[in-house]
């Protein structure tokens, strides 16, 4: 069978160049410099604001000067995750891609199509001289994946267009017109480590191979959370004997369902074999519980070297807090038309153990801001009861649907013309920069769409190649039919 064609070639050429440039969230300086040079070298009006966002403007093609200005927008940072046994330096190494059937994947790492493919589509529009369009502003934002820093810190008046098309969605054929707001709740347990009792034996338990995924878009898929699974076992064992926690580490990003993790514990020497028996029983039950969503689980329990441990009370507090804290879907949308969509959720995203503190990061989302506050407080209260120090960030707002959107109508009409069917117009249970734009630019008419991606924020991230061309055709059809001012 012949290899699938990467088309449009102009998009995939740009994507290949982008993936040669390291661009971890908060360390995107090389990408900012690349975009600035890319625009200036082509004689296009190019600016970088004080936050590090980049805008490249392209004039209208002849005869289209009277059309309203369209903003194309994507973020250029990427989630950096890899398989535990893969050696890769995200600050220096290029992403290695390959084709598997109709999918484009990366070798052992995240692909960076979220949202590198959106950036590539914008650059392809800017470089192409055979398109019909009015004035275009291509906006590239930084640090979307951790704190939406680019969108929240954007200079006033940086964008001047009338319509905005966000190219950061992951399901071709779906047009997003609203998104959830979100906030992080972070708990810190402080302590002075001590030596375990002399008759204690050390064990290291670990899990890997979980499916993981995006903590908003995939939260309703009932996938296993590595932190919650490990915490379940620790809770069961801590109720049997005076277990001492030495380390608990899992998760890397606030917006991903953790796929792997490990703990080191000390238990009374006389009970070590019973712990092993309990582990075998527990892991077989968990494998059965997630036999549909997580088929590649790998569990391991092995002897470990002795090391300092958390005080008994702190060990118990951490374990009980992680057992108690809410995780997964909290509420579905009440409106009958949106009953299929998650309204409110929470994800336990990471646990990191240091010498004097253990820090837990969680992420809450909701399309209803009052329920977002309630969910955040629910998680906060669980950690406060356990004695942790708890802080919450400012978060980001929800994007409310505009029922009178002219841009949505144009997208719908264009999609039907091209593909003979209506697109699905919906909201998404994830944060989009459109939420912040809706606050800063209340009159901006916005939509979000993009090619099909799967398993984003994990090393299994993949891009469905044929959908890139479909999005490209849709975008060009929209651009040539933008109404006059």
């Amino acid at each position: 069978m012949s290899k699938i064609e990467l088309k449009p070639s102009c998009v995939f050429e740009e994507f290949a160049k982008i993936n040669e440039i390291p661009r971890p969230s908060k360390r995107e300086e090389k990408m900012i410099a690349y975009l600035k040079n890319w625009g200036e070298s082509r004689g296009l009006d190019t600016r970088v604001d004080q936050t590090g966002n980049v805008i490249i403007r392209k004039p209208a093609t002849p005869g289209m000067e009277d059309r309203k200005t369209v903003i194309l927008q994507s973020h250029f940072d990427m989630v950096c995750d890899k398989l535990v046994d893969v050696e890769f330096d995200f600050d220096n190494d290029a992403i290695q891609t390959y084709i598997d059937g109709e999918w484009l994947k990366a070798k052992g790492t995240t692909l960076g199509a979220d949202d590198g493919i959106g950036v590539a589509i914008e650059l392809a529009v800017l470089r192409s001289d055979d398109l019909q369009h009015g004035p275009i502003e291509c906006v590239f934002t930084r640090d979307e994946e951790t704190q939406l820093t680019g969108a929240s810190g954007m200079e006033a008046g940086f964008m001047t267009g009338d319509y905005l098309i966000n190219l950061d969605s992951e399901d071709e054929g779906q047009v997003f017109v609203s998104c959830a707001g979100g906030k992080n709740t972070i708990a810190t347990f402080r302590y002075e480590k001590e030596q375990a009792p002399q008759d204690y034996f050390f064990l290291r338990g670990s899990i890997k191979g979980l499916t993981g995924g995006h903590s908003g878009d995939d939260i309703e898929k009932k996938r296993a959370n590595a932190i919650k699974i490990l915490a379940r076992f620790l809770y069961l064992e801590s109720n049997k004997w005076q277990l001492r926690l030495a380390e608990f580490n899992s998760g890397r990003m606030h917006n991903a369902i953790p796929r792997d993790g490990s703990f080191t514990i000390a238990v009374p020497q006389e009970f070590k074999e019973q712990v092993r028996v309990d582990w075998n029983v527990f892991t077989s039950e968990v494998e059965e519980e997630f036999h549909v969503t997580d088929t590649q689980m790998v569990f391991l329990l092995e002897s470990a070297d002795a090391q300092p441990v958390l005080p008994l009370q702190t060990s118990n507090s951490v374990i009980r807090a992680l057992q108690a804290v809410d995780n997964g879907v909290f509420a579905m949308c009440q409106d009958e038309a949106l009953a299929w969509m998650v309204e409110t959720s929470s994800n336990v995203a990471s646990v990191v153990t240091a010498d004097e503190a253990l820090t837990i990061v969680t992420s809450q989302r909701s399309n209803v801001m009052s329920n977002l506050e309630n969910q955040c407080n629910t998680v906060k209260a669980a950690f406060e009861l356990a004695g942790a120090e708890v802080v919450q960030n400012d978060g980001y707002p929800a994007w409310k649907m505009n029922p009178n959107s002219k841009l949505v109508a144009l997208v719908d009409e264009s999609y039907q013309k091209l593909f003979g069917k209506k697109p699905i117009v919906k909201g998404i249970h994830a944060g989009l920069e459109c939420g912040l734009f809706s606050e800063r630019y209340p009159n901006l008419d916005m939509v979000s769409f993009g090619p099909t991606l799967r398993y984003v924020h994990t090393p299994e991230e993949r891009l469905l190649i044929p959908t890139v061309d479909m999005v490209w055709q849709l975008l060009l059809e929209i651009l040539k039919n933008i109404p006059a001012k």
Side-chain angles (χ1 to χ4, degrees):
M1 188 172 79
S2 60
K3 183 177 288 188
I4 190 170
E5 183 180 356
L6 293 176
K7 67 175 188 177
S9 59
C10 56
V11 173
F12 282 98
E13 287 167 7
E14 294 297 338
F15 185 57
K17 293 175 184 176
I18 290 166
N19 267 349
E20 295 178 1
I21 305 165
R23 55 188 196 282
S25 298
K26 296 191 178 301
R27 303 193 300 279
E28 310 101 331
E29 288 74 18
K30 293 177 182 178
M31 192 65 193
I32 294 170
Y34 175 80
L35 290 170
K36 184 174 184 291
N37 178 70
W38 193 101
E40 291 177 344
S41 66
R42 289 164 172 78
L44 297 172
D45 179 16
T46 304
R47 281 192 57 214
V48 181
D49 72 2
Q50 79 271 9
T51 301
N53 301 306
V54 181
I55 188 168
I56 304 176
R57 293 184 171 90
K58 184 180 182 183
T61 54
M64 303 278 284
E65 294 86 356
D66 65 336
R67 304 299 177 95
K68 290 187 175 183
T69 299
V70 175
I71 303 164
L72 305 181
Q73 185 267 323
S74 57
H75 67 86
F76 53 76
D77 64 314
M78 66 173 284
V79 168
C80 297
D81 195 11
K82 65 182 184 67
L83 297 175
V84 292
D85 52 355
V86 169
E87 292 293 328
F88 193 88
D89 182 356
F90 282 102
D91 287 312
N92 294 290
D93 296 343
I95 302 295
Q96 302 296 310
T97 62
Y98 68 98
I99 296 172
D100 182 3
E102 292 189 318
W103 296 91
L104 187 67
K105 302 179 181 179
K107 297 179 180 178
T109 71
T110 39
L111 174 63
D114 175 17
D115 185 25
I117 195 63
V119 174
I121 289 171
E122 289 190 64
L123 294 179
V125 169
L126 289 170
R127 83 180 221 188
S128 299
D129 56 10
D130 57 349
L131 310 181
Q132 289 179 278
H133 57 77
I136 291 176
E137 296 180 345
C138 284
V139 174
F140 309 90
T141 51
R142 74 178 307 175
D143 191 28
E144 185 268 354
E145 296 290 4
T146 65
Q147 293 179 314
L148 296 167
T149 303
S152 61
M154 184 179 288
E155 288 181 5
F158 192 62
M159 303 187 298
T160 64
D162 304 283
Y163 297 130
L164 184 143
I165 299 174
N166 169 277
L167 295 165
D168 189 25
S169 296
E170 298 157 10
D171 292 277
E172 191 285 319
Q174 299 183 6
V175 179
F176 294 94
V177 296
S178 69
C179 72
K183 183 179 287 190
N184 290 342
T185 301
I186 303 167
T188 302
F189 292 87
R190 302 193 185 279
Y191 45 75
E192 290 185 10
K193 283 191 172 182
E194 58 191 39
Q195 297 301 314
Q198 289 186 352
D199 61 342
Y200 269 51
F201 187 84
F202 281 78
L203 292 162
R204 181 181 184 274
S206 64
I207 185 174
K208 66 178 182 178
L210 303 188
T211 302
H214 190 289
S215 62
D217 205 27
D218 296 320
I219 198 69
E220 84 286 2
K221 294 182 174 64
K222 301 180 181 180
R223 295 175 183 171
N225 179 308
I227 295 171
K228 292 293 289 184
I229 288 177
L230 296 177
R232 281 168 59 177
F233 179 76
L234 294 176
Y235 180 77
L236 292 170
E237 297 303 294
S238 68
N239 285 331
K240 295 181 179 180
W241 25 72
Q242 291 191 341
L243 176 153
R244 305 296 290 274
L245 184 64
E247 287 186 325
F248 195 153
N249 294 291
S250 178
R252 297 169 184 82
M253 292 80 62
H254 77 97
N255 52 5
I257 301 169
R259 299 175 299 101
D260 51 60
S262 66
F263 60 71
T264 303
I265 56 174
V267 297
Q269 178 88 21
E270 61 187 300
F271 300 126
K272 66 178 183 179
E273 293 308 320
Q274 184 58 49
V275 174
R276 296 183 194 274
V277 172
D278 291 349
W279 175 262
N280 291 335
V281 173
F282 173 79
T283 55
S284 66
E285 292 174 344
V286 170
E287 287 173 345
E288 174 60 26
E289 186 176 330
F290 294 97
H291 72 279
V292 174
T293 59
D294 295 81
T295 61
Q296 304 298 318
M297 287 183 174
V298 178
F299 291 94
L300 181 64
L301 185 68
E302 56 189 344
S303 303
D305 294 334
Q307 59 178 287
V309 297
L310 277 62
L312 179 60
Q313 182 175 347
T314 308
S315 285
N316 287 336
S317 295
V318 169
I319 292 168
R320 280 152 177 73
L322 285 171
Q323 173 68 34
V325 71
D326 208 19
N327 188 84
V329 176
F330 181 75
M332 303 297 288
C333 287
Q334 295 187 37
D335 295 332
E336 185 175 349
L338 298 174
W340 51 268
M341 190 171 78
V342 177
E343 177 206 271
T344 306
S345 71
S346 183
N347 177 61
V348 183
S350 67
V351 179
V352 177
T353 304
D355 289 339
E356 298 178 345
L358 182 147
T359 301
I360 303 166
V361 176
T362 70
S363 174
Q364 292 76 51
R365 304 174 189 268
S366 183
N367 295 65
V368 179
M369 296 310 288
S370 60
N371 218 3
L372 174 63
E373 181 181 9
N374 176 53
Q375 182 70 354
C376 290
N377 288 339
T378 298
V379 173
K380 181 181 179 184
F383 286 127
E384 287 175 333
L385 284 170
E389 300 172 11
V390 185
V391 296
Q392 294 175 327
N393 66 358
D394 293 334
Y396 51 89
W399 166 32
K400 294 182 179 180
M401 182 178 69
N402 174 9
N404 301 311
S405 170
K406 294 181 180 179
L407 182 55
V408 172
L410 175 57
V411 174
D412 181 271
E413 178 185 341
S414 299
Y415 194 91
Q416 290 189 67
K417 177 181 176 181
L418 287 170
F419 307 117
K421 59 181 180 179
K422 290 180 68 68
I424 299 171
V425 179
K426 60 189 293 189
I428 186 172
H429 188 67
L432 290 174
E433 291 159 298
C434 296
L436 286 161
F437 298 149
S438 68
E439 282 195 332
R440 306 286 180 83
Y441 301 85
N443 296 319
L444 195 57
D445 198 349
M446 298 183 289
V447 298
S448 177
F449 58 77
T452 297
L453 299 173
R454 290 293 177 263
Y455 305 110
V456 297
H457 299 181
T458 81
E460 295 299 318
E461 180 184 358
R462 59 196 64 185
L463 169 66
L464 188 56
I465 294 167
T467 64
V468 177
D469 191 44
M470 295 176 72
V471 169
W472 177 253
Q473 292 180 53
L474 176 62
L475 183 59
L476 300 193
E477 182 69 21
I478 293 167
L479 290 177
K480 72 182 181 181
N481 287 293
I482 292 293
K485 299 175 184 177

